[in-house]
Each structure stands twice: as structure tokens, then as C-alpha cells.
Amino acid sequence: MILLPRERNNIENTFEIVSNVNLSLKYQIKKIKTISKVIEAELDKPRDTWYVDSVDFDYNIDFLINGFSTLIEYYHTWVLQQCIGLIKPECKISYKAIDKNNVELIEQLMKKYKVGITNCPELYCFDFYEKCKSKYMSAMTPFFIGKNHEIFVLNNYIKHNHMARSYAPLSILDNEHFSFPYLYIDDSRGRLLNRSLFCHLLDLSVDDVINGFDSEFYGSYVSNSEVTTYKMGGLDIVVINGLEYVKGGRSIGISIESMLETIKHACVDILDVMLEEQRCSGITAGTDIDHFTMLKSSFMERKAKTIRNVINKNDS
């Protein structure tokens, strides 16, 4: 924490607030790990149909998306309360993804939560505000507008709308069945999605995507070098930043394997920041260090069966 203990000791309830934030974040990471394991077990079952015949699987996909959305919100609060420290900690903190290049909105957020304000500037031998802002930018980099935000948008959608979850077309790769379960929305209901690349792809043909396109959600321009496309029957699979978007005749979707892979990598990113925070506090071993390290390893035990991973495996 950048805010020094001497200041925190004079702020009522600071330690209780930070402790609760820490507990909430650890709980949510472990919950996502448990749900991921259950989903992976279903995905790894031999399948010779075009559907995942499990209601529990549908429910768990929803739980995973919702849990990840909640994790992002917890983490955002944790960065402000634990990594940085607030002189006014008793405030309601909300998460809203912004473009990392949107300096104005980032400054507004700093001001809203009084980030970088100190009652004792003489205690710091550096620019307190700039260091707090730099820490926020560094810790929140994975959760600015990008692939993790895409899943956050899906959570907002499924709170109020149906999304098909059990469809799993089969293909043949190297004489073996390849099951490709994905979530999808018909084009008309896709208009109900919040601003996202997911929604933006509704209006683009595959040729538009291949040739490069403007998108405020992944920077000003997505070049063809950032896009990989595949064909699976009547489906076009567009891979951008590791997420497999599925364009059907009248639908837009996202593969469950690529979504799961993205969520697990995001959890590892968060654990890396949590480990760094421990080490910055002078802690180099012990319960949390060991536990976070173990969690990181467990998130990476299974390699996602994305199209890219399967093809690379078959080519190697």
C-alpha cells in the first residue's frame, strides 16, 4: 500500500475495510477456480452429439460469467483500497471499464475516490498523486477496455436476456472429433449488448474483419495481423486477442473454451499483483504467498481446447 501506516492509523475503520476487501477478493478467485474445474470436467467428456446435454453445464457457464464480473469489481476496489490506500476509504467504489488512453476519464476517477490525496505530504519523498495514478494504471491494465471487458459486457446482457449455451458443433481434426461449444445470440437481440467488440462485430462481414477495421474497443484500429479466421461448416470463427468470436448466419457468439482461457489468465494476472503487494510489504514467504502461487499453477493445469491450441497441437 502506498498510503503509509502512520496515515492509515488515523483513519477510522481503514484496517477493517481493507481486510474485508482482501477476504472478498480471495473468496471470489477460489470460487471461480472451483466453477472452472466443474466446467472443464464437462468439456473433457467424450462427445458425439452437437449438444452438451447438461442443464448444470448451462447454469455453471452463467455462474462463471457472473463470478468473473464480480471478481473484476472486487479487484478494482482492492487496487484502490489495498494497493494504493485512500484517505477517505468509506466510499462506494464501482467499476466501469475505460480506454487506457482516455486520460480525462482516468483523472475523473482519481478525483472521485480522492486517489493520491494525503494529509501528510511531508511523509513522502515522491509525487504521491503520480505514484498512486501509476499504480492504478499498472494494476488495472488487463481490465481496461479489451478482452476481459468483453466478458463483463456479456454478464450485463445475460442478467436480462437469454443466451444459448448448449450448442456444440463437431468437426474432425486429425481423424478425431473436435467439439466446439459456444454461446450465441441472434443478431436482433445482439443489439441489446452494451458497447463492445462483441456487439461491433455484428455489423462487420468476415472480409471487413480480415481487411482490418476501426474499433474504439481495441484501440483505434484492428489490423489483419491481429486477426485469425477459421471455417467450421457454416460458421466463421474470428479470433481477436485470444477470444474466439463466432459469426453464424444470423447470430454472433463466443466459444466457451476461449472465454474460459481468458478468465483463467485474468485470475493469474490478479494473483501476480497480489503476490507483488505481499512482497512490497516485506513478506517473502508464508500462507498467502504459498497459497497464491499454488492457485496460479492450478489455473494453468489444463490447456484450453481452443481452435488455435488444437491446431497447434496437431501441427507440432
Side-chain angles (χ1 to χ4, degrees):
M1 184 182 287
I2 300 174
L3 191 70
L4 293 177
R6 177 172 164 183
E7 291 209 72
R8 285 184 286 152
N9 289 335
N10 297 323
I11 303 171
E12 189 177 358
N13 298 329
T14 293
F15 293 99
E16 181 182 353
I17 290 168
V18 172
S19 176
N20 285 334
V21 168
N22 270 316
L23 289 172
S24 296
L25 184 57
K26 286 189 279 188
Y27 168 81
Q28 200 66 18
I29 289 175
K30 288 187 283 187
K31 185 173 79 172
I32 286 177
K33 178 59 190 168
T34 299
I35 297 171
S36 296
K37 281 284 191 184
V38 174
I39 291 172
E40 288 169 350
E42 185 66 44
L43 290 169
D44 288 341
K45 288 180 180 177
R47 183 167 294 109
D48 57 7
T49 72
W50 282 46
Y51 295 89
V52 180
D53 188 19
S54 168
V55 175
D56 287 346
F57 180 76
D58 290 354
Y59 294 158
N60 284 324
I61 292 298
D62 279 4
F63 294 153
L64 179 66
I65 294 171
N66 179 259
F68 183 58
S69 180
T70 302
L71 174 66
I72 293 174
E73 292 174 325
Y74 279 154
Y75 177 65
H76 184 235
T77 300
W78 183 86
V79 168
L80 293 173
Q81 295 281 20
Q82 170 65 46
C83 277
I84 295 173
L86 303 179
I87 204 74
K88 299 288 185 182
E90 290 187 326
C91 58
K92 182 179 180 181
I93 296 173
S94 59
Y95 166 82
K96 182 179 180 181
I98 53 180
D99 187 326
K100 66 179 180 181
N101 298 314
N102 194 327
V103 177
E104 183 179 349
L105 280 181
I106 293 171
E107 295 283 356
Q108 287 176 13
L109 183 143
M110 302 286 108
K111 183 177 180 180
K112 178 179 180 180
Y113 299 117
K114 297 180 170 55
V115 177
I117 292 178
T118 169
N119 291 326
C120 306
E122 70 278 2
L123 295 177
Y124 305 92
C125 60
F126 49 81
D127 187 318
F128 186 68
Y129 173 79
E130 287 300 326
K131 185 159 186 176
C132 290
K133 180 181 174 183
S134 175
K135 184 65 176 180
Y136 179 83
M137 296 289 290
S138 171
M140 288 302 298
T141 290
F143 302 101
F144 290 125
I145 288 174
K147 64 180 180 180
N148 292 316
H149 180 244
E150 296 286 287
I151 300 170
F152 192 83
V153 167
L154 281 186
N155 181 62
N156 289 333
Y157 176 86
I158 63 176
K159 285 179 183 177
H160 310 286
N161 304 281
H162 175 70
M163 196 169 188
R165 301 161 180 82
S166 298
Y167 190 51
L170 289 169
S171 184
I172 301 293
L173 284 175
D174 238 12
N175 297 317
E176 293 182 7
H177 284 301
F178 172 61
S179 180
F180 189 72
Y182 69 96
L183 313 175
Y184 65 96
I185 312 165
D186 65 79
D187 284 359
S188 59
R189 298 199 65 77
R191 308 295 170 185
L192 300 175
L193 282 162
N194 289 341
R195 294 166 60 247
S196 60
L197 183 57
F198 198 95
C199 183
H200 188 53
L201 288 172
L202 283 168
D203 298 319
L204 300 176
S205 69
V206 175
D207 285 341
D208 291 333
V209 174
I210 292 173
N211 292 330
F213 60 96
D214 289 313
S215 174
E216 62 183 299
F217 309 107
Y218 276 74
S220 59
Y221 185 73
V222 179
S223 70
N224 57 9
S225 64
E226 300 172 81
V227 177
T228 308
T229 59
Y230 302 94
K231 268 283 194 185
M232 182 179 292
L235 301 175
D236 289 297
I237 319 300
V238 178
V239 185
I240 303 175
N241 204 12
L243 281 176
E244 295 174 334
Y245 297 92
V246 185
K247 289 180 68 67
R250 291 185 297 173
S251 67
I252 183 74
I254 187 169
S255 84
I256 291 172
E257 288 281 4
S258 71
M259 184 180 69
L260 184 60
E261 182 179 54
T262 295
I263 289 172
K264 289 166 64 177
H265 283 162
C267 288
V268 170
D269 287 339
I270 290 174
L271 287 165
D272 278 336
V273 178
M274 295 175 79
L275 283 165
E276 179 190 354
E277 180 65 20
Q278 291 280 308
R279 296 181 183 114
C280 287
S281 301
I283 303 171
T284 57
T287 305
D288 275 347
I289 291 280
D290 296 341
H291 185 55
F292 296 162
T293 303
M294 180 194 69
L295 271 174
K296 274 185 61 180
S297 298
S298 65
F299 271 115
M300 295 294 100
E301 284 174 354
R302 176 187 181 272
K303 190 168 186 178
K305 297 174 183 176
T306 60
I307 289 181
R308 180 186 68 254
N309 287 345
V310 171
I311 289 177
N312 288 342
K313 175 186 174 183
N314 290 338
D315 286 343
S316 60

